[in-house]
Amino acid sequence: MGVFPASRRNPGYGQGVVTLVAEPNEEERLAQRLRETFASPTYEPPLLPVAAMELIALTRKPDVTYREILKLLESDPLITGRTLKIAESPVYARGEPLRSLEQALTRLGLSTLSDIFLQVSMSTRVFRSASFAAPMEELRRHSVATAHAARLVCRATSLPDEYAFLCGLLHDIGAAACLLALGDSGPKQAAQLTIQQVRKPIWQLHAEVGRDVCKSWKLPPEIMMIVGHHHEPRIGGHVHPLAAAVLLADQLASQAGFPSPVEPTRTGEPENYLGLPDNAVLRLRTETTRHLATAVDG
Ligand SMILES: [Fe+2]
Ligand SMILES: [Fe+2]
């Protein structure tokens, strides 16, 4: 190892050859900080509640019983209470009161009740930030809106919608992880950062980070792939239908008034990798706007 700085050992040194290395700008520095944080062996991704992780695994079991599901849903009283409240809202139960989780399960079915439970789990335990409270709430509403829109897109196009709601809910989880890494668990001075400063680096990295968060949660490989490709649904030269549905849902949710705090504003028609006719996109747009008006906050 030499004693002199590298420039002094450069054969061009003293010959009038100067190499200028540009200082990285603030956005590049933040992107680099994020990459280093996520690559660190001490990094801990946000935690999905145990009951939610078990529920995702249990609902994939072909011989699952109502008893098993109910036992699991009842294991987290705070989330159970909020789940029931949403389950009896006009969006799901036309406002009719539900006396128990068991009644909710019979009336709404396993898949819908599980989706509500996962929405509440994510909202209560994951989309929470002290440093970026307002952008995180905006991201939570965008994610819930995209989940509902993804379900509508799949139903309108006869795509299997088993994972639609969950993928919509999770699609921008990488952005949440970035906000937490730069704010709540970042160094002290990071608390001063504004959403305007962090928006671009988060936008660049969030799909990749999201895929890794899903991996750390041991979610099925298909969900990881969809989250990682939700802005580029072509995988190996082919369009992945559910990734394309999530991308369309993301843009329909934004246009309906639930934009992500980190995604650049888009104008014009939503990206239609599914090849839907114009009138079908228009119908979905109208339906999504109407549905989201009550589904996100109701
Ligand atoms: Fe995104
Ligand atoms: Fe999004």
Side-chain angles (χ1 to χ4, degrees):
M1 203 167 92
V3 179
F4 295 120
S7 58
R8 298 284 297 273
R9 298 195 303 276
N10 187 323
Y13 182 76
Q15 307 297 313
V17 179
V18 179
T19 308
L20 288 176
V21 179
E23 279 288 310
N25 65 26
E26 179 65 10
E27 283 164 354
E28 283 166 16
R29 255 202 305 273
L30 286 171
Q32 187 54 28
R33 191 204 288 177
L34 281 171
R35 281 193 204 94
E36 284 166 10
T37 303
F38 296 130
S40 160
T42 58
Y43 171 70
E44 287 181 13
L47 283 177
L48 188 64
V50 177
M53 283 175 80
E54 286 178 5
L55 182 63
I56 294 169
L58 207 57
T59 48
R60 294 168 67 217
K61 258 179 62 182
D63 54 349
V64 64
T65 64
Y66 267 28
R67 257 177 86 98
E68 284 175 279
I69 295 285
L70 279 173
K71 202 170 152 215
L72 184 62
L73 295 182
E74 281 163 353
S75 66
D76 192 322
L78 175 70
I79 295 179
T80 304
R82 290 181 181 172
T83 299
L84 263 179
K85 208 160 174 285
I86 294 185
E88 63 186 8
S89 71
V91 180
Y92 291 102
R94 294 182 296 280
E96 290 165 34
L98 290 165
R99 280 191 300 277
S100 65
L101 212 48
E102 197 169 356
Q103 196 185 31
L105 190 56
T106 318
R107 208 183 285 177
L108 304 183
L110 172 59
S111 151
T112 304
L113 193 63
S114 300
D115 285 347
I116 301 173
F117 188 84
L118 292 169
Q119 174 187 326
V120 174
S121 302
M122 295 279 295
S123 297
T124 312
R125 303 275 157 79
V126 182
F127 289 113
R128 292 276 163 220
S129 165
S131 310
F132 288 107
M136 190 65 107
E137 173 60 7
E138 201 182 336
L139 186 64
R140 184 194 70 78
R141 297 174 89 236
H142 169 71
S143 302
V144 172
T146 303
H148 281 276
R151 194 196 267 148
L152 293 176
V153 170
C154 284
R155 286 182 184 166
T157 53
S158 305
L159 279 170
D161 67 353
E162 186 193 357
Y163 288 140
F165 191 91
L166 182 57
C167 288
L169 200 56
L170 293 173
H171 80 290
D172 276 341
I173 190 63
C178 289
L179 285 174
L180 290 169
L182 288 172
D184 303 54
S185 53
K188 266 212 166 89
Q189 66 271 26
Q192 310 300 321
L193 291 168
T194 64
I195 186 67
Q196 286 75 19
Q197 287 171 292
V198 303
R199 176 177 285 145
K200 202 166 160 194
I202 294 181
W203 165 249
Q204 285 166 351
L205 296 175
H206 79 284
E208 201 183 325
V209 173
R211 185 202 55 206
D212 290 350
V213 172
C214 291
K215 191 174 176 190
S216 78
W217 289 349
K218 299 186 174 50
L219 297 181
E222 194 186 3
I223 295 181
M224 278 166 49
M225 189 163 66
I226 292 162
V227 169
H229 280 85
H230 74 272
H231 289 290
E232 176 43 77
R234 274 178 301 235
I235 303 171
H238 300 284
V239 170
H240 188 296
L242 195 44
V246 170
L247 176 60
L248 178 58
D250 167 88
Q251 294 175 358
L252 290 170
S254 300
Q255 288 178 346
F258 300 95
S260 149
V262 299
E263 296 184 10
T265 312
R266 286 188 80 259
T267 49
E269 292 303 309
E271 286 172 274
N272 180 5
Y273 283 91
L274 292 170
L276 302 176
D278 288 352
N279 60 352
V281 176
L282 192 66
R283 250 199 322 274
L284 266 170
R285 209 173 183 169
T286 312
E287 197 187 349
T288 307
T289 305
R290 189 174 44 79
H291 183 76
L292 295 185
T294 51
V296 175
D297 299 311

